[in-house]
Amino acid sequence: MKTKLDRLLESIDPSITLDQVSSRIDQALNSFQIDSGIIEDWEVYKDLFTNFFRHTENNILRIKSFKSANPKIEWGRCIRLLLKEYGPNGEKTAFEMVRTGNQGGLYKVLKSLSKQMIEEYAGTEIRAKIGYFWHSLSVDEKWAATDEYLTKYGHLLPSELTEGSAARIKADFTKVLEEHPRIIKRMRIVGRN
């Protein structure tokens, strides 16, 4: 008989969360129209990335067509993801790559933005499911779920986290659950090689 934890872990399995979002983003990337691989004008660059962000988000959310009332919002969201990927001044670093075609150019920057979008959208879905699960449990059920996880999956975690009474895991178990789909995905990739 499946436990509440088993049902949660099935619902956040990477094939349901990470892989499905990734597939929709790949579809968006493959269907996005680009006139040129080199863009030298900042405004054209901003427009292209704003349109790509909207197009990709529509694919992720399965919306046929939605145009933003304020493209500055999408541009701001693009900048936030580019900063995560390329560090401070990430939007300028990405522009230099797009402008020169160096380090993979436009395609590489779009793929990097896509990677950040996978993490953001799949991460939001995973956190929502975990939050619903966690808040539905009593205190005793929370302790039991943590112990059950450690029994079933503790071997996948770094030993410094599981040593002793695994206090670090018990203190922030929801973060461990958030990382679970990525751990499983990495294991499946290693298993295929």
Side-chain angles (χ1 to χ4, degrees), residues 40-162:
E40 297 177 335
D41 180 87
W42 179 260
E43 292 303 317
V44 172
Y45 162 76
K46 280 176 50 178
D47 289 345
L48 178 100
F49 275 80
T50 300
N51 291 335
F52 176 74
F53 187 91
R54 171 55 42 213
H55 174 74
T56 304
E57 188 171 61
N58 285 346
N59 270 274
I60 294 169
L61 300 175
R62 297 182 187 141
I63 299 171
K64 295 245 186 252
S65 179
F66 172 76
K67 295 203 184 236
S68 174
N70 188 348
K72 289 181 182 179
I73 292 172
E74 265 79 27
W75 175 238
R77 293 169 73 197
C78 284
I79 289 174
R80 186 174 49 77
L81 296 177
L82 291 170
L83 292 174
K84 279 184 176 180
E85 184 68 23
Y86 297 111
N89 297 312
E91 77 280 13
K92 293 175 184 158
T93 301
F95 177 67
E96 281 305 305
M97 290 171 67
V98 169
R99 187 183 67 76
T100 63
N102 291 337
Q103 298 175 309
L106 175 60
Y107 183 73
K108 171 70 171 156
V109 176
L110 290 174
K111 286 291 283 182
S112 296
L113 184 63
S114 297
K115 181 181 89 174
Q116 290 298 327
M117 291 180 84
I118 291 167
E119 284 301 313
E120 183 170 293
Y121 283 89
T124 298
E125 179 181 350
I126 291 165
R127 283 187 300 280
K129 289 177 178 181
I130 291 168
Y132 180 78
F133 161 78
W134 195 246
H135 295 296
S136 73
L137 301 178
S138 69
V139 173
D140 289 339
E141 288 174 320
K142 288 177 181 178
W143 286 115
T146 304
D147 289 338
E148 178 187 348
Y149 186 87
L150 287 168
T151 300
K152 292 178 178 177
Y153 301 100
H155 65 283
L156 302 176
L157 303 172
S159 60
E160 62 269 12
L161 296 178
T162 58

